Amino acid sequence: MSLQNAVASPAGAPDHVAEYLESLALVERLHRLLLDVLKDEFERLGVIEVNPVQALLLFNVGDAEVTAGELKSRGYYQGSNVSYNLKKLVELGYMHHKRCEIDRRAVRVRLTKKGQRIHELVSGLFARHADGLRARGVLDDGAIGQINFTLRRVERFWTDQIRYIY
């Protein structure tokens, strides 16, 4: 059952449960919509080698040099197939990779010039979106700050739930 279906299903559920389920569905839809926005932008620009998930990965890495494990721990990558996407980005020339000097098991990655170009495209798109949201009165600085504050609190709550389980 999808989150969207779950929102309508809890008959007699308290309002806060229904609102929580609606928030979960909205976060899920927004993430999928973000991927669609990236796909649309890349199709418009003729960038076909990189998928939206890979584009977000390149955007999040930016100027950093990180290991695959750090991609997840730093929040740069949220998917489950990080090794596939890294391998593909290296093969396509968007990322450099090299063995870590200290821990030979670890591989460090960073963007190539080609990868930096994708980073800049996504960065520009996001800047235009931020400006557009403000210009149209959809989100002002206070509203986006409050959304971020609330989402960080939910993130901490969920993180605590995971830690409590283990």
Side-chain angles (χ1 to χ4, degrees):
M1 166 166 56
S2 76
L3 288 173
Q4 192 165 0
N5 293 338
V7 171
S9 65
D15 286 345
H16 71 280
V17 173
E19 288 176 4
Y20 176 67
L21 293 174
E22 182 179 357
S23 295
L24 294 177
L26 184 56
V27 167
E28 181 182 28
R29 282 196 317 269
L30 285 171
H31 177 69
R32 291 177 190 274
L33 190 56
L34 173 61
L35 296 177
D36 288 343
V37 165
L38 286 167
K39 181 178 184 282
D40 181 66
E41 177 76 358
F42 280 27
E43 286 175 355
R44 191 178 62 74
L45 296 172
V47 177
I48 57 173
E49 283 185 327
V50 177
N51 68 41
V53 170
Q54 293 164 342
L56 276 177
L57 176 60
L58 293 168
F59 171 75
N60 287 326
V61 169
D63 293 330
E65 181 176 282
V66 296
T67 65
E70 288 172 327
L71 291 173
K72 290 195 103 161
S73 67
R74 293 184 185 191
Y76 293 167
Y77 185 83
Q78 305 305 321
S80 60
N81 52 358
V82 67
S83 58
Y84 166 80
N85 282 306
L86 280 178
K87 180 181 176 195
K88 197 74 172 156
L89 289 169
V90 168
E91 287 173 2
L92 294 170
Y94 291 94
M95 294 189 107
H96 289 293
H97 76 290
K98 67 176 182 178
R99 291 263 168 225
C100 181
E101 297 292 326
I102 299 167
D103 181 356
R104 301 297 293 165
R105 297 169 295 172
V107 174
R108 299 195 65 77
V109 295
R110 63 182 168 82
L111 302 186
T112 63
K113 291 279 188 213
K114 197 173 171 182
Q116 289 170 350
R117 179 177 166 264
I118 298 299
H119 171 83
E120 290 163 7
L121 289 174
V122 175
S123 184
L125 175 67
F126 289 168
R128 288 194 312 275
H129 286 174
D131 291 343
L133 288 165
R134 178 187 277 182
R136 292 184 181 151
V138 176
L139 288 175
D140 61 21
D141 291 338
I144 195 71
Q146 184 59 44
I147 290 168
N148 291 340
F149 175 79
T150 302
L151 289 173
R152 279 191 297 273
R153 290 181 69 191
V154 171
E155 180 182 38
R156 276 193 300 270
F157 175 80
W158 286 348
T159 300
D160 290 346
Q161 297 303 303
I162 294 167
R163 287 185 184 138
Y164 179 74
I165 292 170
Y166 299 108

